[in-house]
């Protein structure tokens, strides 16, 4: 058995669902596509994409000694259809990947185990990355034969659909690369049709500034009114384009128990979430990637979902947040109240006008 096959077998034995090798110079057209993405300023607030673009577009700029790259995939498939939750307006819809334990911890721990095993058996130097460095994981994984980037720009696998995390292991060992996978999207455009905010200007292109995942997770400011109604009950991330992909008929439930959805994150009540103060927020999302977003941005998202719910029972909770410490929360409390009781929202804005809170005043003008 070759060294390559032994490494791949070990990766599978450690719980990864797919593994493959590629060269550091195998990005092909991906670097040009990325440059186009940056030129169009479709990265929004994510300035780190620009700051470290050279290292992202060339693995050898990130680490000159790298000779081969091992890409691995770990399945986090849900136990049901995530689209079903969109019909429950009293519940918050959290992206499937964030319902279990923080994937950074789970995937990186396994990848480090593999790295130690490789050094013990074959020597060389290694660097491990799990969404923690300027690495173009999806194009590299496609080059390594794990799948292809679909029209929604996410990776799709013939074997496990599109519910999986990626990890990268850069090594100084020279390993024969695997063959890239052919694009098998064909004429299908289900993922593009499923997007609530029209975040795809063209197939295989994403404008992050319109993407609900970006808006609810990465975007630090106020969410443009254009997107609020379309967000529905999405409060952290969005799986609509993934869930619509027909290749997910090959997906299975995650085999790693730590990636299974925690009960309180499957379909949390908006009425409970909106009451979380900072300490309660941190406790509720212990060991979750959601905690990194911070309470202010998260409650901003919850208030948008409440505004979209049409449930007047939320009005007392919304009123209590008009004086919140976070300007994001205050502004979205005004918007949510305006959706539930427009006249009441105008009265509250008049009451707060003397405070000259720019967040509230801006929303008042939008009512």
């Amino acid at each position: 058995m070759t060294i390559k096959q032994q490494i791949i077998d070990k990766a599978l034995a450690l719980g990864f669902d797919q593994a493959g090798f590629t060269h550091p110079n195998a990005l092909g057209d991906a670097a040009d596509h990325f440059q186009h993405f940056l030129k169009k300023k479709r990265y929004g607030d994510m300035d780190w994409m620009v700051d470290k673009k050279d290292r992202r577009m060339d693995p050898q700029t990130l680490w000159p000694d790298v000779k081969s790259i091992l890409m691995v995939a770990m399945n986090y498939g849900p136990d049901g259809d995530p689209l079903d939750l969109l019909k429950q307006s009293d519940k918050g819809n959290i992206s499937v990947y964030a319902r279990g334990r923080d994937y950074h911890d789970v995937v990186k721990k396994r990848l480090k185990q593999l790295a130690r095993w490789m050094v013990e058996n074959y020597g060389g130097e290694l660097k491990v990355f799990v969404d923690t460095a300027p690495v173009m994981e999806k194009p590299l994984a496609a080059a390594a034969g794990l799948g292809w980037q679909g029209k929604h720009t996410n990776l799709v696998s013939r074997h496990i659909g599109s519910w999986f995390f990626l990890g990268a292991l850069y090594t100084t060992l020279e390993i024969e690369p695997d063959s890239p996978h052919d694009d098998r999207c064909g004429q299908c455009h289900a993922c593009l049709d499923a997007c609530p905010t029209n975040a795809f200007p063209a197939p295989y292109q994403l404008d992050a500034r319109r993407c609900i995942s970006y808006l609810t997770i990465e975007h630090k400011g106020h969410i443009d009114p254009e997107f609020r109604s379309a967000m529905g009950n999405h409060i952290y991330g969005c799986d609509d384009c993934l869930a619509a992909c027909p290749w997910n008929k090959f997906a299975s439930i995650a085999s790693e128990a730590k990636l299974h959805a925690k009960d309180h994150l499957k379909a949390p009540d908006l009425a409970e979430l909106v009451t979380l103060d900072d300490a309660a927020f941190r406790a509720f999302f212990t060991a979750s990637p959601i905690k990194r977003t911070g309470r202010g941005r998260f409650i901003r998202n919850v208030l948008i979902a409440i505004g979209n719910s049409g449930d007047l029972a939320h009005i007392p909770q919304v009123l209590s947040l008009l004086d919140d410490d976070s300007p994001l929360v205050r502004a979205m409390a005004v918007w949510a109240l305006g959706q539930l009781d427009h006249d009441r929202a105008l009265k509250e804005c008049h009451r707060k006008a003397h405070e000259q809170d720019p967040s509230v005043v801006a929303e008042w003008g939008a009512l």
Side-chain angles (χ1 to χ4, degrees):
M1 188 183 297
T2 64
I3 291 176
K4 172 183 172 179
Q5 192 58 53
Q6 289 176 34
I7 293 172
I8 290 176
D9 287 350
K10 182 63 175 180
L12 299 179
L14 286 171
F16 294 108
D17 294 276
Q18 291 191 129
F21 279 93
T22 188
H23 273 314
N25 59 358
L27 284 173
D29 294 337
D32 292 333
H33 296 324
F34 183 60
Q35 285 275 42
H36 179 73
F37 174 82
L38 296 180
K39 184 177 180 181
K40 292 286 186 179
K41 299 189 183 299
R42 291 173 176 167
Y43 54 88
D45 294 340
M46 299 182 288
D47 294 331
W48 41 268
M49 286 192 168
V50 180
D51 296 340
K52 299 180 180 179
K53 65 178 182 178
D54 293 337
R55 280 181 274 181
R56 192 173 298 276
M57 292 188 297
D58 181 2
Q60 289 180 315
T61 300
L62 177 61
W63 188 32
D65 295 333
V66 61
K67 296 292 190 298
S68 304
I69 298 174
L70 172 64
M71 295 301 302
V72 296
M74 182 176 286
N75 171 42
Y76 66 90
D79 59 2
D81 186 351
L83 296 178
D84 291 342
L85 190 57
L86 298 178
K87 305 167 188 174
Q88 302 181 50
S89 61
D90 61 327
K91 305 293 185 181
N93 195 333
I94 293 172
S95 184
V96 172
Y97 88 86
R99 296 179 188 177
R101 188 175 180 86
D102 192 337
Y103 71 94
H104 296 88
D105 300 333
V106 178
V107 179
K108 198 164 192 176
K109 181 178 179 180
R110 297 292 174 84
L111 204 50
K112 284 184 174 181
Q113 284 182 263
L114 178 60
R116 286 193 294 269
W117 179 87
M118 287 175 61
V119 171
E120 290 170 2
N121 286 273
Y122 310 114
E125 295 180 61
L126 301 165
K127 290 186 183 294
V128 168
F129 305 112
V130 182
D131 198 23
T132 52
V135 175
M136 295 183 73
E137 292 97 344
K138 290 182 285 187
L140 287 172
L146 271 59
W148 70 96
Q149 280 192 263
K151 292 177 182 177
H152 50 20
T153 73
N154 292 294
L155 209 69
V156 184
S157 165
R158 291 174 58 198
H159 308 290
I160 56 176
S162 51
W163 306 106
F164 56 89
F165 300 119
L166 293 172
L169 193 156
Y170 285 28
T171 176
T172 55
L173 298 175
E174 294 197 39
I175 307 292
E176 180 185 359
D178 288 283
S179 299
H181 204 297
D182 294 333
D183 186 323
R184 302 214 174 188
C185 286
Q187 299 301 309
C188 179
H189 46 80
C191 61
L192 307 183
D193 296 341
C195 181
T197 52
N198 298 313
F200 302 106
Y204 307 103
Q205 294 183 32
L206 171 68
D207 188 338
R209 297 168 297 183
R210 303 185 64 87
C211 176
I212 291 176
S213 285
Y214 164 79
L215 292 169
T216 56
I217 300 173
E218 300 289 348
H219 185 50
K220 299 178 178 63
H222 300 290
I223 294 175
D224 194 290
E226 175 187 358
F227 305 119
R228 295 175 192 170
S229 294
M231 286 170 59
N233 65 344
H234 291 292
I235 58 172
Y236 187 90
C238 178
D239 296 317
D240 292 13
C241 64
L242 294 181
C245 179
W247 282 98
N248 278 323
K249 64 186 177 183
F250 297 109
S252 59
I253 299 173
S255 56
E256 171 53 64
K258 292 179 181 178
L259 298 179
H260 291 176
K262 298 176 182 178
D263 289 340
H264 68 288
L265 298 183
K266 289 181 179 179
D269 292 328
L270 294 175
E272 178 183 3
L273 295 176
V274 77
T275 65
L276 298 176
D277 60 16
D278 192 61
F281 169 80
R282 292 176 177 276
F284 196 87
F285 294 109
T286 298
S288 166
I290 298 174
K291 188 163 68 172
R292 286 195 297 274
T293 302
R295 182 252 180 193
R297 273 188 272 175
F298 182 76
I299 300 299
R300 170 199 64 185
N301 303 338
V302 172
L303 283 165
I304 290 175
I306 283 176
N308 290 330
S309 74
D311 187 349
L312 302 185
H314 289 298
I315 289 178
Q317 296 170 320
V318 174
L319 286 170
S320 70
L321 293 175
L322 289 172
D323 297 306
D324 193 83
D325 290 340
S326 167
L328 291 177
V329 172
R330 295 195 300 274
M332 285 308 97
V334 171
W335 183 84
L337 185 60
Q339 301 302 110
L340 301 176
D341 187 337
H342 186 265
D343 291 341
R344 183 67 180 272
L346 286 175
K347 290 179 181 178
E348 291 298 325
C349 283
H350 276 294
R351 178 181 68 81
K352 291 181 66 63
H354 71 280
E355 299 175 13
Q356 298 183 342
D357 182 336
S359 298
V360 172
V361 170
E363 292 302 323
W364 180 15
L367 289 175

